[in-house]
């Protein structure tokens, strides 16, 4: 069974890799938000918000990518407050970095149960989760260069 601390350590290292790639590829400067915030990064202007997830699989190993529905809800709230706000969900997979922009993809909301972690708070039952078909994910253009950085 994987330990939560190990997963967290790898996840944070992957966030740094993704941050650098996004800044380079998209020409933006990202600020790391509080670990308790819904999103991992934003821009100084607070017009772009990004959530990063790491997966130790290929992007098309399953039919869908998962993101907490609460993150989509919060993104929609931010877009209501600022019509120019952009929200991105980014996944680092074994075969590259992929993303979707809120508003440009379809999703299904279902309940999801995590079952591999031993910490009780991480084994929440019936967590509302957005399931996004993997064929809607867009590769970051620098994906091939990124593969050499894969942890």
């Amino acid at each position: 069974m994987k330990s939560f601390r190990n997963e967290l350590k790898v996840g944070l290292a992957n966030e740094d890799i993704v941050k650098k790639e996004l800044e380079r590829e998209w020409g933006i400067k990202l600020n790391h938000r509080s670990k308790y915030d819904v999103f991992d990064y934003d821009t100084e202007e607070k017009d772009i918000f990004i959530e990063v997830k790491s997966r130790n699989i290929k992007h098309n190993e399953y039919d869908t990518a998962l993101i907490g529905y609460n993150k989509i809800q919060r993104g929609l709230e931010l877009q209501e407050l600022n019509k120019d706000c952009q929200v991105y969900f980014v996944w680092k997979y074994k075969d590259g970095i992929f993303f979707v922009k809120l508003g440009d993809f379809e999703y299904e909301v279902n309940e999801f149960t995590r079952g591999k972690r031993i910490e009780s708070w991480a084994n929440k039952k019936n967590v509302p989760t957005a399931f996004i078909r993997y064929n809607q994910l867009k590769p970051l253009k620098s994906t091939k260069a990124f593969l050499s950085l894969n942890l």
Side-chain angles (χ1 to χ4, degrees):
M1 199 174 285
K2 296 180 182 179
S3 80
F4 176 73
R5 281 189 199 166
N6 248 5
E7 286 185 31
L8 181 61
K9 185 177 175 182
V10 170
L12 292 173
N14 284 333
E15 279 184 16
D16 288 340
I17 290 170
V18 171
K19 176 183 183 277
K20 289 174 188 169
E21 289 297 308
L22 290 173
E23 287 177 332
R24 188 178 66 73
E25 188 70 37
W26 291 351
I28 57 176
K29 172 78 173 104
L30 295 173
N31 303 309
H32 199 276
R33 296 174 64 85
S34 161
K35 70 178 181 176
Y36 301 108
D37 207 313
V38 173
F39 297 103
D40 295 313
Y41 298 102
D42 65 12
T43 56
E44 191 162 320
E45 299 80 13
K46 305 289 187 239
D47 59 349
I48 298 175
F49 293 83
I50 298 173
E51 174 66 11
V52 176
K53 295 294 181 190
S54 296
R55 302 290 184 251
N56 197 24
I57 59 173
K58 291 184 177 180
H59 81 283
N60 59 356
E61 194 165 319
Y62 292 99
D63 291 341
T64 55
L66 307 179
I67 198 80
Y69 183 58
N70 66 311
K71 295 174 186 300
I72 289 178
Q73 290 174 310
R74 181 62 182 141
L76 292 170
E77 290 169 3
L78 291 168
Q79 289 179 333
E80 275 187 36
L81 296 172
N82 176 0
K83 66 178 176 65
D84 296 323
C85 178
Q86 299 175 55
V87 177
Y88 294 91
F89 302 105
V90 181
W91 291 265
K92 180 192 168 288
Y93 288 102
K94 281 183 169 182
D95 58 342
I97 299 173
F98 295 80
F99 71 95
V100 292
K101 179 180 178 184
L102 186 58
D104 290 352
F105 63 93
E106 295 178 6
Y107 57 92
E108 233 179 84
V109 178
N110 288 305
E111 294 178 345
F112 180 73
T113 302
R114 299 172 198 217
K116 293 189 178 185
R117 294 186 180 155
I118 57 173
E119 289 77 16
S120 61
W121 66 267
N123 283 318
K124 296 178 188 174
K125 304 283 187 218
N126 307 323
V127 176
T129 302
F131 291 73
I132 304 162
R133 292 247 169 242
Y134 82 85
N135 61 358
Q136 296 185 89
L137 304 181
K138 297 175 184 171
L140 193 65
K141 289 181 182 177
S142 64
T143 293
K144 287 184 182 173
F146 155 81
L147 287 174
S148 64
L149 302 172
N150 206 349
L151 294 179

